[in-house]
Amino acid sequence: MIDKVYCADVRPDMEGKRVKLAGWVYRKREVGKKVFIVLRDSSGVVQTVFKREASEEAYAEAKKVGIESSVIIEGTVKADPRAPGGAEVQADKMEIVQNVDFFPITKDASDEFLLDVRHLHLHSPKVSSIMKVKGTMMAAAREWLLQNGWYEVFPPILVTGAVEGGSTLFKLKYFDRTAYLSQSAQLYLEAAIFGLEKVWSLTPSFRAEKSRTRRHLTEFWHLELEAAWMDLNDILKVEEELVSYMVQRTLELRRKDVETFRKDLKTLRNTVPPFPRISYDEAIEILQSKGVEIEWGEDMGADEERILTQEFESPFFVYGYPKHIKAFYMKEDPEDPRKVLAADMLAPEGYGEVIGGSQREDSYEKLVQRILEEGMDPKDYEWYLDLRKYGSVPHSGFGLGLERLVAWVLKLDHVRWATLFPRTPSRLYP
């Protein structure tokens, strides 16, 4: 009995070994009395060759099989420097599991068509590379978090109130009540720190924003951390160490996949602590010096952040934002009540914000005041306010948009390519 091997396992040093492969027809061409089939599976691709004189039956099957057909192939490994990976399989047996006469995706397919048939687009090795990188980055994050004493928790997705702003909530009927899809797990993570101190979660977050920029999705994967006894500087150190580990570990394990999308690895190599830090005030001055019409107190959007990132060759922090443009739970700067103790991490090369974080307001009275200033009802946050009544401590946290970080690492032109089935204001299918 022949053991099945993966395409990437076929190597020149296996010359003469008989193998069995299972996968999909990625490329096909006929030359004389030979049929060349490049087979793909989850590991990569390998070239197989069907010669008429070796097996009339296998040759006939190879001639009729279509692109993306599922097949099982048997043959003998032959070293060949012209083949992908330096070796090919001289095939003499093929089982067609399902023949595909015509695969809908062609090389000229538009982005919108690829999204319309995303379920088929997932066949693409390039899409597979993106998902491998994304999975490796999360595996690296888990490694770092485990090594540094953080506890994973599992917060709810159905919630009763806003975290980031009521206008971006997805509303739904929950029996005889109104509920919402979570914008962030933050408030629930804050509750968990009183027993576990350092906690994290990976959850889907939902934002009913009609933004159509290259960095917005209505559903995205949110890596969030909260920690007791940490101030803003403490949590920024956590952010840069975590992101650096995720990037460097991914380069170590998935360099070939990364290089499919970017040849220059300089900015990724530069992703080592400490990251540069500039104040919001300095950021506004830089933008104004470049002719951007922005005044102190205005928020920076995608265009402003893109211009600002041109000044850096690694991720960097912008800290000290005006209070009125940030969320109600951020702690007021005791040295300047116009500001909050908050910082965003921006990725270079035009990608902008990948993390938003802050020291949280730990005073009951000040938190109630901020909720009222935002026009919200303190009763909707009664349980959250309880956290400031019973053993409140200084604490900080942040949220990382996983798709945004992947998009930067792979230089993707839109975060939608960094998720399996993207959800945007105009797309809910497939």
Side-chain angles (χ1 to χ4, degrees), residues 8 44 59 70 73 77 156 162 178 190 230 249 263 313 370 424:
Y59 175 75
S70 47
I73 294 172
V77 176
T178 296
E190 286 188 59
M230 286 193 182
R249 186 75 168 132
K263 301 305 179 188
E313 293 187 335
R370 287 289 288 130
T424 65

Side-chain angles (χ1 to χ4, degrees), residues 42 49 126 184 202 210 276-277 301 305 315 326 394 409 419 421:
S42 62
V49 185
K126 289 191 74 172
S184 165
L202 177 68
K210 294 185 178 179
R277 302 183 186 188
E305 288 185 0
K326 287 297 185 180
V409 168
T419 193
F421 287 93

Side-chain angles (χ1 to χ4, degrees), residues 45-59:
V45 299
V46 66
Q47 180 170 280
T48 64
V49 185
F50 293 80
K51 297 179 181 179
R52 187 170 184 176
E53 66 267 22
S55 171
E56 284 273 3
E57 183 180 356
Y59 175 75

Side-chain angles (χ1 to χ4, degrees), residues 17-244:
K17 183 176 180 179
R18 189 162 180 82
V19 296
K20 177 192 287 186
L21 304 161
W24 295 265
V25 176
Y26 181 53
R27 296 282 185 267
K28 175 185 171 181
R29 62 190 175 93
E30 297 182 36
V31 180
K33 296 181 181 180
K34 295 180 183 178
V35 179
F36 295 86
I37 288 178
V38 177
L39 191 72
R40 69 164 183 85
D41 63 14
S42 62
S43 71
V45 299
V46 66
Q47 180 170 280
T48 64
V49 185
F50 293 80
K51 297 179 181 179
R52 187 170 184 176
E53 66 267 22
S55 171
E56 284 273 3
E57 183 180 356
Y59 175 75
E61 293 288 271
K63 278 183 70 70
K64 73 181 183 183
V65 77
I67 298 299
E68 289 303 322
S69 296
S70 47
V71 298
I72 298 172
I73 294 172
E74 292 183 27
T76 304
V77 176
K78 182 178 183 300
D80 189 331
R82 298 168 298 177
E88 64 184 19
V89 174
Q90 300 282 332
D92 53 38
K93 187 176 180 181
M94 173 188 278
E95 177 189 343
I96 301 176
V97 179
Q98 185 186 51
N99 194 29
V100 175
D101 292 326
F102 173 74
F103 189 64
I105 298 177
T106 64
K107 64 178 182 178
D108 299 319
S110 67
D111 286 351
E112 288 305 308
F113 179 74
L114 292 177
L115 292 169
D116 288 341
V117 294
R118 182 64 169 172
H119 52 296
L120 300 179
H121 190 213
L122 298 180
H123 291 214
S124 164
K126 289 191 74 172
V127 176
S128 294
S129 287
I130 295 172
M131 298 309 153
K132 288 175 185 177
V133 166
K134 187 176 185 179
T136 300
M137 293 188 77
M138 262 316 301
R142 281 193 166 90
E143 285 178 5
W144 189 91
L145 290 161
L146 282 168
Q147 291 167 9
N148 287 275
W150 293 77
Y151 295 98
E152 184 175 8
V153 293
F154 306 90
I157 302 300
L158 294 171
V159 299
T160 58
V163 178
E164 297 299 327
S167 64
T168 64
L169 283 165
F170 279 109
K171 185 177 179 180
L172 53 87
K173 184 174 176 59
Y174 186 75
F175 301 104
D176 59 348
R177 299 181 60 190
T178 296
Y180 306 93
L181 293 177
S182 173
Q183 298 169 313
S184 165
Q186 178 196 318
L187 307 190
Y188 296 94
L189 297 188
E190 286 188 59
I193 67 173
F194 290 84
L196 296 169
E197 296 197 25
K198 297 195 300 185
V199 299
W200 71 277
S201 68
L202 177 68
T203 64
S205 284
F206 304 86
R207 305 284 171 89
E209 295 174 305
K210 294 185 178 179
S211 301
R212 298 179 185 274
T213 73
R214 69 173 187 165
R215 62 183 193 173
H216 280 90
L217 295 167
T218 54
E219 177 186 354
F220 64 96
W221 284 93
H222 211 174
L223 176 59
E224 297 180 87
L225 279 68
E226 291 290 327
W229 312 109
M230 286 193 182
D231 62 18
L232 180 63
N233 285 325
D234 294 328
I235 205 68
L236 294 189
K237 188 171 185 293
V238 170
E239 291 178 36
E240 61 192 6
E241 289 182 0
L242 173 62
V243 168
S244 176

Side-chain angles (χ1 to χ4, degrees), residues 282-297:
E282 291 172 306
I284 295 300
E285 289 175 3
I286 291 171
L287 291 171
Q288 289 175 342
S289 72
K290 292 179 173 293
V292 178
E293 294 184 5
I294 187 171
E295 298 297 327
W296 194 98

